[in-house]
């Protein structure tokens, strides 16, 4: 059975096992959740172990291969333009959808009353008024890390990316033996990381099973019920972006088959779904985009590590829907200017937040502060956050991969998705 079907099966079996055992299920006296957690965490650790060397090597090699400032500028501009445009499309889909569905109004009343939310909006808002902008600035300050080792140790990807971009650029500028040796060294690191990814992915079915089972054992479906309206509003909007907006871009701008791209990306999508972390999924995303979709290392090595941190369509959409839902739940009509603030803040924070589980929650408190709502409002959505996190992370990763494909095609890469991903893998394996 192909790996992606094994992983899909693992997601389904994991969900069933988690729901069946619940948080206290035992097998021969051993708590099952502990076992799920063990295999899941092992897999997650193995993926995370690759991130720092992978981000550094793929960017250094990628930037080196682009060839000079002009090429880099062009690729950088395309990448940033794609990322901003798709995040904005996602936010607008969310904005329209939440205004129509109004999940924060239940039986004609603000859901806050129904869900038992008690808070003096004006008073709490005052206390967090200045917090929003300060936090946002801090996010961007981290882009230039004072200590690169510390940034790597704390998983501050933006800092690592900035350093690696510069390092890669100047490595290419050194035109004697030293520059060539450095480039080849990082190229070697990159290839070794990809091989390690392949090895770790063989364990993916077991790891994914553990992660999904553990999550669902804790989440249970009963907690979802009061928030079903919000839950399905988010899922609907995410689905629209994933299955309509992005495939349209693939077809119209990229000129490739969206279906084929979905097939190529299945391992990455399922890994993103079960880990809820774009960063942890990055090794798999790189592998799927290069090996299965056929994008060159030059493009993927540059576009994807950037995307894993700064391009989060699902997150941006979610932040917008969540902030508007909370406003509705408090019984607040947001003016056009306030909705505009939400859109801009969602766009900026989705660039700044890390690709780790629940990162959106911090961003949502920043948005709430920006429109004068209490940060406690986030408490309303906690019960459903994890399941939605899994879904939005899959959308985040898929958008990154569409960016890589579209940009590769615009750079004249004709081989991208030119053949079926499975056949391509078989051909590469036998070559
Ligand atoms: N978990 C998301 C990611 O890694 C970020 C978020 O929306 O919380 O892409």
């Amino acid at each position: 059975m192909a790996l992606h079907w094994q992983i899909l099966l693992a997601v389904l079996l994991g969900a069933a096992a988690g729901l069946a055992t619940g948080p206290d299920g035992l097998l021969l006296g051993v708590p099952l959740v502990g076992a799920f957690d063990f295999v899941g965490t092992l897999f997650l650790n193995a993926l995370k172990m690759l991130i720092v060397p992978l981000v550094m090597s793929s960017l250094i090699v990628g930037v080196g291969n682009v060839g000079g400032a002009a090429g880099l500028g062009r690729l950088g501009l395309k990448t940033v333009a794609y990322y901003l445009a798709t995040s904005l499309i996602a936010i607008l889909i969310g904005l329209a959808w939440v205004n129509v569905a109004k999940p924060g109004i239940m039986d004609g009343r603000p859901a806050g009353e129904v869900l038992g939310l008690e808070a003096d909006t004006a008073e709490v808002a005052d206390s967090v008024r200045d917090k929003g902008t300060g936090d946002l600035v801090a996010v961007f300050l981290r882009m230039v890390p004072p200590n690169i080792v510390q940034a790597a140790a704390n998983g501050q990807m933006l800092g690592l990316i900035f350093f690696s971009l510069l390092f890669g650029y100047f490595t290419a500028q050194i035109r004697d033996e030293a520059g060539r040796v450095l480039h080849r060294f990082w190229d070697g690191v990159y290839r070794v990381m990809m091989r390690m990814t392949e090895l770790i992915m063989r364990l993916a079915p077991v790891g994914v099973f553990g992660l999904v089972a553990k999550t669902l054992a804790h989440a249970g479906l009963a907690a979802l019920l009061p928030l079903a309206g919000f839950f399905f509003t988010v899922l609907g909007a995410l689905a629209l972006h994933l299955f309509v907006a992005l495939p349209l871009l693939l077809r119209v701008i990229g000129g490739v088959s969206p279906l084929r791209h979905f097939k190529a990306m299945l391992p990455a999508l399922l890994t993103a779904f079960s880990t809820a972390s774009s960063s942890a999924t990055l090794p798999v995303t790189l592998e799927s985009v290069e090996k299965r979709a056929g994008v060159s290392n030059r493009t993927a090595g540059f576009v994807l590590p950037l995307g894993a941190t700064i391009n989060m369509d699902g997150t941006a959409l979610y932040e917008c829907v969540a902030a508007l839902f909370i406003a509705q739940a408090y019984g607040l009509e947001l003016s056009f200017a306030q909705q505009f603030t939400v859109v801009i803040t969602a766009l900026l924070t989705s660039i700044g937040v890390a690709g780790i589980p629940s990162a959106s929650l911090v961003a949502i408190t920043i948005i709430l502060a920006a429109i004068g709502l209490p940060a406690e409002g986030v408490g309303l959505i906690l019960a459903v956050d994890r399941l939605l996190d899994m879904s939005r992370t899959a959308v985040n990763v898929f958008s990154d991969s569409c960016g890589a494909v579209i940009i590769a095609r615009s750079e004249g890469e004709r081989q991208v998705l030119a053949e079926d991903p499975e056949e391509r893998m078989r051909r590469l394996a036998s070559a």
Side-chain angles (χ1 to χ4, degrees), residues 35 56 83 85 90 108 119 163 179 192 210 224 245 275 291 299 330 345 359 363 400 412 427:
M56 291 195 69
Y83 285 162
F163 177 83
V192 171
L224 295 186
T275 59
K291 294 265 164 62
T299 308
Y330 272 103
T345 324
D400 298 343
R427 188 171 57 73

PDB file of all heavy atoms in Angstrom, residues 35 56 83 85 90 108 119 163 179 192 210 224 245 275 291 299 330 345 359 363 400 412 427:
ATOM      1  N   ALA A  35       0.167   5.506  25.897  1.00  0.00           N
ATOM      2  CA  ALA A  35       0.807   4.813  24.779  1.00  0.00           C
ATOM      3  C   ALA A  35       0.673   5.628  23.490  1.00  0.00           C
ATOM      4  O   ALA A  35       1.638   5.776  22.728  1.00  0.00           O
ATOM      5  CB  ALA A  35       0.186   3.434  24.599  1.00  0.00           C
ATOM      6  N   MET A  56      18.008  25.860   7.615  1.00  0.00           N
ATOM      7  CA  MET A  56      19.254  26.545   7.254  1.00  0.00           C
ATOM      8  C   MET A  56      19.788  26.053   5.917  1.00  0.00           C
ATOM      9  O   MET A  56      20.070  26.845   5.013  1.00  0.00           O
ATOM     10  CB  MET A  56      20.307  26.337   8.343  1.00  0.00           C
ATOM     11  CG  MET A  56      19.957  27.051   9.625  1.00  0.00           C
ATOM     12  SD  MET A  56      21.344  27.169  10.750  1.00  0.00           S
ATOM     13  CE  MET A  56      22.390  28.315   9.895  1.00  0.00           C
ATOM     14  N   TYR A  83       2.256  35.052  -1.283  1.00  0.00           N
ATOM     15  CA  TYR A  83       1.870  34.809   0.103  1.00  0.00           C
ATOM     16  C   TYR A  83       0.891  35.854   0.613  1.00  0.00           C
ATOM     17  O   TYR A  83      -0.090  35.517   1.283  1.00  0.00           O
ATOM     18  CB  TYR A  83       3.126  34.754   0.986  1.00  0.00           C
ATOM     19  CG  TYR A  83       3.903  33.458   0.817  1.00  0.00           C
ATOM     20  CD1 TYR A  83       5.218  33.340   1.224  1.00  0.00           C
ATOM     21  CD2 TYR A  83       3.291  32.352   0.230  1.00  0.00           C
ATOM     22  CE1 TYR A  83       5.919  32.153   1.060  1.00  0.00           C
ATOM     23  CE2 TYR A  83       3.983  31.169   0.066  1.00  0.00           C
ATOM     24  CZ  TYR A  83       5.302  31.070   0.476  1.00  0.00           C
ATOM     25  OH  TYR A  83       5.979  29.896   0.315  1.00  0.00           O
ATOM     26  N   ALA A  85      -1.104  37.743  -1.217  1.00  0.00           N
ATOM     27  CA  ALA A  85      -2.371  37.666  -1.955  1.00  0.00           C
ATOM     28  C   ALA A  85      -3.233  36.515  -1.448  1.00  0.00           C
ATOM     29  O   ALA A  85      -4.424  36.695  -1.176  1.00  0.00           O
ATOM     30  CB  ALA A  85      -2.091  37.506  -3.447  1.00  0.00           C
ATOM     31  N   ALA A  90      -7.835  34.407   1.671  1.00  0.00           N
ATOM     32  CA  ALA A  90      -8.355  33.546   2.744  1.00  0.00           C
ATOM     33  C   ALA A  90      -9.102  34.366   3.789  1.00  0.00           C
ATOM     34  O   ALA A  90     -10.206  33.999   4.219  1.00  0.00           O
ATOM     35  CB  ALA A  90      -7.201  32.780   3.390  1.00  0.00           C
ATOM     36  N   GLY A 108     -31.044  34.237  18.129  1.00  0.00           N
ATOM     37  CA  GLY A 108     -31.249  35.678  18.108  1.00  0.00           C
ATOM     38  C   GLY A 108     -30.550  36.440  19.218  1.00  0.00           C
ATOM     39  O   GLY A 108     -30.705  37.650  19.344  1.00  0.00           O
ATOM     40  N   ALA A 119     -18.589  39.315  31.290  1.00  0.00           N
ATOM     41  CA  ALA A 119     -17.436  40.205  31.342  1.00  0.00           C
ATOM     42  C   ALA A 119     -17.877  41.615  31.004  1.00  0.00           C
ATOM     43  O   ALA A 119     -18.744  41.822  30.158  1.00  0.00           O
ATOM     44  CB  ALA A 119     -16.353  39.755  30.371  1.00  0.00           C
ATOM     45  N   PHE A 163      18.741  35.052   8.958  1.00  0.00           N
ATOM     46  CA  PHE A 163      20.179  34.774   8.982  1.00  0.00           C
ATOM     47  C   PHE A 163      20.577  33.904   7.784  1.00  0.00           C
ATOM     48  O   PHE A 163      21.555  34.184   7.088  1.00  0.00           O
ATOM     49  CB  PHE A 163      20.550  34.071  10.294  1.00  0.00           C
ATOM     50  CG  PHE A 163      22.001  33.688  10.378  1.00  0.00           C
ATOM     51  CD1 PHE A 163      22.953  34.606  10.786  1.00  0.00           C
ATOM     52  CD2 PHE A 163      22.419  32.406  10.032  1.00  0.00           C
ATOM     53  CE1 PHE A 163      24.296  34.267  10.857  1.00  0.00           C
ATOM     54  CE2 PHE A 163      23.761  32.056  10.097  1.00  0.00           C
ATOM     55  CZ  PHE A 163      24.696  32.985  10.514  1.00  0.00           C
ATOM     56  N   GLY A 179      33.938  29.765  -1.242  1.00  0.00           N
ATOM     57  CA  GLY A 179      32.502  29.866  -1.486  1.00  0.00           C
ATOM     58  C   GLY A 179      31.944  28.543  -2.000  1.00  0.00           C
ATOM     59  O   GLY A 179      30.885  28.083  -1.569  1.00  0.00           O
ATOM     60  N   VAL A 192      21.350  15.056   3.136  1.00  0.00           N
ATOM     61  CA  VAL A 192      21.269  14.114   4.265  1.00  0.00           C
ATOM     62  C   VAL A 192      19.945  14.305   5.017  1.00  0.00           C
ATOM     63  O   VAL A 192      19.276  13.343   5.385  1.00  0.00           O
ATOM     64  CB  VAL A 192      22.476  14.303   5.218  1.00  0.00           C
ATOM     65  CG1 VAL A 192      22.282  13.499   6.488  1.00  0.00           C
ATOM     66  CG2 VAL A 192      23.762  13.893   4.529  1.00  0.00           C
ATOM     67  N   GLY A 210      -0.848   7.683  16.658  1.00  0.00           N
ATOM     68  CA  GLY A 210      -0.707   8.092  18.058  1.00  0.00           C
ATOM     69  C   GLY A 210      -1.171   9.518  18.292  1.00  0.00           C
ATOM     70  O   GLY A 210      -1.918   9.800  19.235  1.00  0.00           O
ATOM     71  N   LEU A 224     -17.738  19.720  21.691  1.00  0.00           N
ATOM     72  CA  LEU A 224     -17.926  20.483  20.452  1.00  0.00           C
ATOM     73  C   LEU A 224     -19.329  21.071  20.345  1.00  0.00           C
ATOM     74  O   LEU A 224     -19.527  22.105  19.720  1.00  0.00           O
ATOM     75  CB  LEU A 224     -17.699  19.580  19.234  1.00  0.00           C
ATOM     76  CG  LEU A 224     -16.311  19.009  19.023  1.00  0.00           C
ATOM     77  CD1 LEU A 224     -16.256  18.278  17.693  1.00  0.00           C
ATOM     78  CD2 LEU A 224     -15.292  20.149  19.016  1.00  0.00           C
ATOM     79  N   ALA A 245     -10.568  28.109  -3.953  1.00  0.00           N
ATOM     80  CA  ALA A 245      -9.675  29.232  -4.265  1.00  0.00           C
ATOM     81  C   ALA A 245      -8.284  28.757  -4.711  1.00  0.00           C
ATOM     82  O   ALA A 245      -7.809  29.142  -5.791  1.00  0.00           O
ATOM     83  CB  ALA A 245      -9.566  30.162  -3.058  1.00  0.00           C
ATOM     84  N   THR A 275      -0.115  16.753  13.113  1.00  0.00           N
ATOM     85  CA  THR A 275       0.814  17.420  14.035  1.00  0.00           C
ATOM     86  C   THR A 275       0.347  18.821  14.415  1.00  0.00           C
ATOM     87  O   THR A 275       0.787  19.360  15.413  1.00  0.00           O
ATOM     88  CB  THR A 275       2.213  17.583  13.403  1.00  0.00           C
ATOM     89  OG1 THR A 275       2.083  18.346  12.206  1.00  0.00           O
ATOM     90  CG2 THR A 275       2.858  16.257  13.091  1.00  0.00           C
ATOM     91  N   LYS A 291       9.994  15.738  -4.544  1.00  0.00           N
ATOM     92  CA  LYS A 291      10.018  14.386  -5.096  1.00  0.00           C
ATOM     93  C   LYS A 291       8.724  14.037  -5.820  1.00  0.00           C
ATOM     94  O   LYS A 291       8.737  13.445  -6.883  1.00  0.00           O
ATOM     95  CB  LYS A 291      10.247  13.372  -3.969  1.00  0.00           C
ATOM     96  CG  LYS A 291      11.596  13.480  -3.305  1.00  0.00           C
ATOM     97  CD  LYS A 291      12.588  12.496  -3.934  1.00  0.00           C
ATOM     98  CE  LYS A 291      14.021  12.817  -3.578  1.00  0.00           C
ATOM     99  NZ  LYS A 291      14.306  12.735  -2.153  1.00  0.00           N
ATOM    100  N   THR A 299      13.780  26.316  -6.325  1.00  0.00           N
ATOM    101  CA  THR A 299      12.552  27.026  -5.968  1.00  0.00           C
ATOM    102  C   THR A 299      12.009  26.570  -4.617  1.00  0.00           C
ATOM    103  O   THR A 299      11.714  27.387  -3.749  1.00  0.00           O
ATOM    104  CB  THR A 299      11.473  26.799  -7.054  1.00  0.00           C
ATOM    105  OG1 THR A 299      12.038  27.129  -8.320  1.00  0.00           O
ATOM    106  CG2 THR A 299      10.261  27.649  -6.792  1.00  0.00           C
ATOM    107  N   TYR A 330     -20.139  38.736  22.068  1.00  0.00           N
ATOM    108  CA  TYR A 330     -20.233  39.815  23.061  1.00  0.00           C
ATOM    109  C   TYR A 330     -21.359  40.796  22.722  1.00  0.00           C
ATOM    110  O   TYR A 330     -21.560  41.784  23.413  1.00  0.00           O
ATOM    111  CB  TYR A 330     -18.925  40.593  23.136  1.00  0.00           C
ATOM    112  CG  TYR A 330     -17.914  40.025  24.096  1.00  0.00           C
ATOM    113  CD1 TYR A 330     -16.829  39.294  23.640  1.00  0.00           C
ATOM    114  CD2 TYR A 330     -18.043  40.211  25.472  1.00  0.00           C
ATOM    115  CE1 TYR A 330     -15.894  38.775  24.507  1.00  0.00           C
ATOM    116  CE2 TYR A 330     -17.119  39.689  26.353  1.00  0.00           C
ATOM    117  CZ  TYR A 330     -16.042  38.971  25.869  1.00  0.00           C
ATOM    118  OH  TYR A 330     -15.116  38.455  26.735  1.00  0.00           O
ATOM    119  N   THR A 345      -4.815  43.196  10.847  1.00  0.00           N
ATOM    120  CA  THR A 345      -4.087  42.558  11.955  1.00  0.00           C
ATOM    121  C   THR A 345      -3.983  41.056  11.730  1.00  0.00           C
ATOM    122  O   THR A 345      -2.955  40.447  12.035  1.00  0.00           O
ATOM    123  CB  THR A 345      -4.781  42.840  13.304  1.00  0.00           C
ATOM    124  OG1 THR A 345      -5.324  44.150  13.289  1.00  0.00           O
ATOM    125  CG2 THR A 345      -3.808  42.706  14.452  1.00  0.00           C
ATOM    126  N   ALA A 359      -0.729  28.429  17.887  1.00  0.00           N
ATOM    127  CA  ALA A 359      -0.084  29.742  17.771  1.00  0.00           C
ATOM    128  C   ALA A 359      -1.115  30.835  17.506  1.00  0.00           C
ATOM    129  O   ALA A 359      -0.942  31.975  17.929  1.00  0.00           O
ATOM    130  CB  ALA A 359       0.958  29.709  16.657  1.00  0.00           C
ATOM    131  N   ALA A 363      -2.281  35.286  18.561  1.00  0.00           N
ATOM    132  CA  ALA A 363      -2.611  36.286  17.548  1.00  0.00           C
ATOM    133  C   ALA A 363      -4.032  36.804  17.751  1.00  0.00           C
ATOM    134  O   ALA A 363      -4.293  37.995  17.579  1.00  0.00           O
ATOM    135  CB  ALA A 363      -2.458  35.684  16.160  1.00  0.00           C
ATOM    136  N   ASP A 400       1.346  26.846   0.969  1.00  0.00           N
ATOM    137  CA  ASP A 400       2.797  26.956   0.717  1.00  0.00           C
ATOM    138  C   ASP A 400       3.176  26.155  -0.527  1.00  0.00           C
ATOM    139  O   ASP A 400       3.922  26.620  -1.390  1.00  0.00           O
ATOM    140  CB  ASP A 400       3.618  26.382   1.887  1.00  0.00           C
ATOM    141  CG  ASP A 400       3.372  27.140   3.177  1.00  0.00           C
ATOM    142  OD1 ASP A 400       2.840  28.265   3.116  1.00  0.00           O
ATOM    143  OD2 ASP A 400       3.716  26.596   4.243  1.00  0.00           O
ATOM    144  N   GLY A 412       9.592  28.815 -15.403  1.00  0.00           N
ATOM    145  CA  GLY A 412       9.839  27.973 -16.574  1.00  0.00           C
ATOM    146  C   GLY A 412      10.099  26.503 -16.260  1.00  0.00           C
ATOM    147  O   GLY A 412      10.675  25.795 -17.078  1.00  0.00           O
ATOM    148  N   ARG A 427       9.553   5.886 -10.794  1.00  0.00           N
ATOM    149  CA  ARG A 427      10.614   6.105 -11.774  1.00  0.00           C
ATOM    150  C   ARG A 427      11.903   6.524 -11.070  1.00  0.00           C
ATOM    151  O   ARG A 427      12.992   6.029 -11.378  1.00  0.00           O
ATOM    152  CB  ARG A 427      10.172   7.182 -12.776  1.00  0.00           C
ATOM    153  CG  ARG A 427      11.097   7.360 -13.956  1.00  0.00           C
ATOM    154  CD  ARG A 427      10.493   8.275 -15.008  1.00  0.00           C
ATOM    155  NE  ARG A 427      10.137   9.597 -14.493  1.00  0.00           N
ATOM    156  CZ  ARG A 427      11.026  10.545 -14.191  1.00  0.00           C
ATOM    157  NH1 ARG A 427      12.305  10.316 -14.351  1.00  0.00           N
ATOM    158  NH2 ARG A 427      10.633  11.733 -13.752  1.00  0.00           N
TER     159      ARG A 427
END
